[in-house]
Amino acid sequence: MLLPVLLAGGAGSRLWPLSREQYPKQFLALTNSFSLLQNTALRTQILPNVVAPLAVCAEGHRFIVAEQLRAVNMGQAKVLLEPEGRNTGPATTCAALWALETYGPETILFVMAADHTIPDEAAFAKASAIAVEAAKAGHIVSFGIQPTHPETGFGYIKAGASIGVDGASKIDAFVEKPPLAKAEEFLKQGGYYWNGGMFLFRADVFLAEVKRLEPDMLIACERSLAKAKRDTDFVRLDGPSFGDARNESIDYAVMEKTEKAALVPLDAGWDDVGSWNFLAKLPAVDPRGNLARGDVMVEDCDGTLVHGTHRLVTVLGLKDTVVVETVDAVLVASRDRLQDVKKVVNRLKAAGRSEAVARPRVYRPWGWYETISLSDRFQVKRILVKPGEKLSLQMHHHRAEHWVVVKGTARVTNGDKVFLLGEDESTYIPLGHSHRLENPGKVHLELIEVQSGSYLGEDDIVRFEDVYGRTPEAAGMP
């Protein structure tokens, strides 16, 4: 049995302004109509004996992960929630413990980042089959990415002697990110591979090595899973116990110390989507090396990448430049400085700017909302509620609300009254009234909400009842 483990954490800084802290790159659709997370999950389903994936993510991303997996018919997937980021070591250990108790000790885990791309699925399946055989023989497999150029931003893995499984070898060494001269030497010499952060192993074999090499980490993870809160979709790891686990990667915690490490090469067009230069690898590049996505007009440019989302973007006379436009922010950067986008995001965070954290459209398990206009004492939002979904029963201390239905039918709870609203109908929710919005219909419900009051923050919510298991004090989640 093969269990894909999708590591879906991330800070949302590399592909800013399209990605944000609350909506990092794994949730973006960059290569086709599916997000990177969805493409990763779908890719695993071509492998034999595979079960629904286990996703590992932060608490704040849980509903996005669950909804995106349901949208590609993976509603049986489980989501393991990290109380805090502790790197891939504890995350992988908790996933292995969950697999052990759910499927048994011989379960094979395929651990991979949810925000990478692998376009050659046939090559991916072939390498995976080799890795499975190596795992059955008791090895902990790391996939080595076939290098295409002397990259200084990745660590390298040096292949050693054969382990007796055709296509797999021992690992002679892990090499930290090298200087350019050393990377060029690796490429010329051969036998060196990029460390793509993909691992495959039996649950019992991996946990035995964690017990030997990182016993305190294993104890913390065991305690965190034992005390976890569980419901239909989510396994909420215990925070204090999980926090006792050392913040460490699986490479440093296990792979660089174990004698069971093995290497399987992967030559499948892998990319970690590490910066906006990723756009240059997509199709539809014109003869002068330009790429335009969205409503974009390019005039007399070379090597310029433009990604538009909400309006016409025109560029003139640019060279080796990236332009990314969203509804609330625009990035214009030299292509050789794209690794420094994180510096911009850090400045935005230091200034308390919301553009570093959230996109104007905020996704919730029932649908989404976006701010259209905001001032000191009023805010206008557009709200979409999916068929059959409902918001929490709640009230506000500091604001009143007006709702105008523009599409679909709404069932409204307003104080002690429950009634239906059709298109072009409205209602007023006075300050302090308990209220709820539901979509009883078969089509999306859309409405305009006008808030007015002395305080309009999303944490002004007293929640009385919620079908999604959110606590009354959970701020910012209507």
Side-chain angles (χ1 to χ4, degrees):
M1 184 174 295
L2 182 65
L3 172 66
V5 178
L6 314 181
L7 301 181
S13 59
R14 290 187 177 186
L15 296 187
W16 186 89
L18 204 56
S19 66
R20 309 289 171 95
E21 183 177 302
Q22 294 180 4
Y23 206 84
K25 66 176 178 175
Q26 61 265 26
F27 304 133
L28 301 176
L30 296 174
T31 60
N32 53 26
S33 61
F34 297 123
S35 72
L36 296 179
L37 168 67
Q38 290 171 320
N39 278 316
T40 303
L42 290 169
R43 188 184 310 123
T44 66
Q45 298 307 295
I46 68 174
L47 304 177
N49 304 316
V50 70
V51 297
L54 172 70
V56 184
C57 71
E59 176 82 14
H61 297 148
R62 67 194 187 280
F63 292 123
I64 304 174
V65 170
E67 177 59 28
Q68 288 203 355
L69 292 176
R70 276 195 293 269
V72 290
N73 299 316
M74 293 190 190
Q76 299 302 312
K78 281 286 186 179
V79 182
L80 192 65
L81 300 179
E82 295 179 287
E84 59 180 288
R86 305 297 292 170
N87 215 314
T88 56
T92 303
T93 301
C94 286
L97 288 168
W98 183 86
L100 184 74
E101 71 173 34
T102 305
Y103 296 115
E106 295 185 1
T107 305
I108 295 176
L109 282 75
F110 194 164
V111 180
M112 64 193 80
D115 57 358
H116 296 175
T117 63
I118 301 178
D120 189 342
E121 293 191 345
F124 169 75
K126 182 178 180 180
S128 299
I130 296 171
V132 167
E133 293 305 310
K136 288 179 180 178
H139 296 281
I140 302 175
V141 178
S142 180
F143 289 80
I145 309 302
Q146 180 66 49
T148 58
H149 58 276
E151 174 62 54
T152 61
F154 301 144
Y156 283 71
I157 307 172
K158 183 182 180 183
S162 172
I163 61 170
V165 175
D166 189 27
S169 65
K170 293 181 179 180
I171 293 178
D172 269 1
F174 287 87
V175 184
E176 294 292 336
K177 298 175 182 178
L180 180 59
K182 184 64 69 172
E184 290 173 340
E185 181 183 330
F186 290 163
L187 191 65
K188 182 178 180 180
Q189 180 177 337
Y192 286 85
Y193 299 86
W194 294 336
N195 187 348
M198 299 168 58
F199 308 95
L200 193 146
F201 48 77
R202 275 178 43 160
D204 55 353
V205 172
F206 178 77
L207 290 172
E209 288 300 274
V210 176
K211 183 176 182 178
R212 184 175 70 86
L213 300 169
E214 292 279 349
D216 291 341
M217 179 183 292
L218 180 64
I219 291 171
C221 291
E222 287 176 332
R223 188 182 301 121
S224 184
L225 187 62
K227 294 182 178 181
K229 297 178 180 179
R230 307 168 190 240
D231 56 32
T232 304
D233 292 325
F234 306 117
V235 179
R236 294 176 170 84
L237 296 170
D238 177 67
S241 302
F242 190 74
D244 289 337
R246 191 163 68 92
N247 187 337
E248 191 60 274
S249 71
I250 182 176
D251 295 276
Y252 288 131
V254 176
M255 296 304 295
E256 295 189 11
K257 303 173 185 176
T258 181
E259 296 179 357
K260 298 180 180 295
L263 173 71
V264 171
L266 176 63
D267 187 6
W270 172 93
D271 196 289
D272 73 337
V273 196
S275 78
W276 278 114
N277 266 325
F278 167 75
L279 289 177
K281 302 176 184 179
L282 300 182
V285 176
D286 71 14
R288 295 179 64 173
N290 301 304
L291 175 69
R293 303 187 73 181
D295 189 7
V296 173
M297 183 180 294
V298 178
E299 181 67 28
D300 193 24
C301 294
D302 294 284
T304 293
L305 314 176
V306 188
H307 186 102
T309 61
H310 283 80
R311 72 208 77 195
L312 170 65
V313 179
T314 62
V315 291
L316 171 64
L318 298 180
K319 183 176 181 180
D320 295 333
T321 303
V322 169
V323 180
V324 182
E325 173 271 336
T326 68
V327 68
D328 65 335
V330 177
L331 169 71
V332 181
S334 173
R335 285 182 57 176
D336 61 2
R337 294 295 304 277
L338 288 171
Q339 295 293 344
D340 293 332
V341 169
K342 189 173 182 179
K343 294 180 180 179
V344 176
V345 176
N346 289 338
R347 286 188 62 184
L348 291 170
K349 288 182 178 180
R353 297 290 297 259
S354 63
E355 292 90 342
V357 178
R359 305 202 303 181
R361 179 171 293 185
V362 179
Y363 290 87
R364 293 291 180 249
W366 44 260
W368 52 259
Y369 68 86
E370 62 185 3
T371 298
I372 299 173
S373 180
L374 176 63
S375 188
D376 291 339
R377 293 188 61 88
F378 77 87
Q379 180 172 205
V380 182
K381 288 184 175 181
R382 180 186 175 196
I383 298 175
L384 181 142
V385 185
K386 295 178 292 187
E389 301 294 340
K390 62 176 72 175
L391 282 68
S392 58
L393 180 65
Q394 59 186 255
M395 66 91 105
H396 310 294
H397 288 296
H398 302 288
R399 71 174 185 256
E401 296 176 346
H402 298 258
W403 293 346
V404 182
V405 176
V406 296
K407 181 180 179 181
T409 301
R411 179 183 290 121
V412 175
T413 300
N414 189 351
D416 57 0
K417 298 178 180 179
V418 180
F419 51 91
L420 296 178
L421 287 180
E423 293 181 7
D424 299 324
E425 294 183 330
S426 63
T427 189
Y428 169 65
I429 311 293
L431 183 150
H433 267 221
S434 61
H435 57 278
R436 166 174 265 166
L437 179 64
E438 306 177 49
N439 182 357
K442 301 296 185 181
V443 299
H444 286 156
L445 165 65
E446 294 187 37
L447 67 151
I448 300 298
E449 176 183 84
V450 181
Q451 303 175 356
S452 59
S454 60
Y455 179 72
L456 305 173
E458 289 298 331
D459 55 349
D460 178 22
I461 294 178
V462 178
R463 185 174 287 114
F464 302 110
E465 179 185 324
D466 183 64
V467 297
Y468 307 107
R470 295 171 295 182
T471 59
E473 66 275 10
M477 289 194 178

